[in-house]
Amino acid sequence: LGYCPGAVKDGETSVSDGPASPKIEERRPPIWERVSIVWLVPVVAIAIALFVAWQTWSERGPVISISFENAAGLIAGQTPVRYRDVRVGTVEGIAFSDDLSEVEVAVRINPELAGYFTKEAEFWIVRPEISAQGISGLNTVLSGTYIGAELPSTSGPIERAFAGLERAPLTPIDQPGLRITLRSYGATSIGVGAPILYRGVEVGQIEDLTLSSDGQSVIYSAFINAP
């Protein structure tokens, strides 16, 4: 007999004659079993942060622009706008006008008061000042310069651009009375805040004065109290 490698001798059993070895596969747990609850903490924190950021952004008030001759003491992101000593807005940006003649201040106002920023609203910069009428703005020595506001008592369409005043208005915009313009061609010593008298009784005051366009006269803006 010839020799054949792998041949099976008498009395022996071939391995190939038996059953096949079973194939064992490890069971993969479902994804909800593989995710640890610890991993969910940063995900939830990020989701909450995004929601708060979106809510803050969506609830922001509109932006208005106020032009001044200069912006001394104003700081973007810090300087407040106050009405009756209550913060109603914040300066967001400061830039020059196209011809560099003025400074335009961008102000983000409180959304709940946006309806009162109508064309009747007035704004001025409050800073320490000494004038013939006395000393004003001393409270800004500690609190810092801010923009004062005078708002009407009724709401209306929002105005987006305003011309800032050089000084605080002497008369509230809603005070009943009559505004008149006076012209003088002679030299006078009348200044801002000077009283207007009728039979010795003060019935109004001078609010502002300017030179006429030809420089020949002085124009006074005055307010007469009702009635």
Side-chain angles (χ1 to χ4, degrees), residues 35-72:
V35 176
S36 173
I37 190 171
V38 178
W39 299 353
L40 297 179
V41 174
V43 176
V44 173
I46 294 175
I48 294 175
L50 291 176
F51 173 77
V52 172
W54 175 83
Q55 188 176 29
T56 302
W57 182 86
S58 63
E59 292 179 353
R60 295 186 307 168
V63 175
I64 63 173
S65 176
I66 309 173
S67 59
F68 295 102
E69 289 188 358
N70 65 79

Side-chain angles (χ1 to χ4, degrees), residues 133-158:
Q133 287 73 43
I135 302 175
S136 61
L138 287 181
N139 59 326
T140 61
V141 174
L142 298 177
S143 63
T145 301
Y146 64 91
I147 297 178
E150 183 70 28
L151 304 179
S153 58
T154 57
S155 60
I158 301 176

Side-chain angles (χ1 to χ4, degrees), residues 39-115:
W39 299 353
L40 297 179
V41 174
V43 176
V44 173
I46 294 175
I48 294 175
L50 291 176
F51 173 77
V52 172
W54 175 83
Q55 188 176 29
T56 302
W57 182 86
S58 63
E59 292 179 353
R60 295 186 307 168
V63 175
I64 63 173
S65 176
I66 309 173
S67 59
F68 295 102
E69 289 188 358
N70 65 79
L74 303 184
I75 303 175
Q78 297 184 19
T79 302
V81 178
R82 295 180 181 174
Y83 171 61
R84 296 186 179 182
D85 235 5
V86 177
R87 192 183 191 118
V88 296
T90 304
V91 173
E92 276 202 348
I94 302 174
F96 285 106
S97 59
D98 294 337
D99 58 0
L100 304 182
S101 62
E102 294 179 325
V103 177
E104 296 181 352
V105 180
V107 174
R108 177 80 63 178
I109 59 178
N110 294 355
E112 62 270 15
L113 297 176

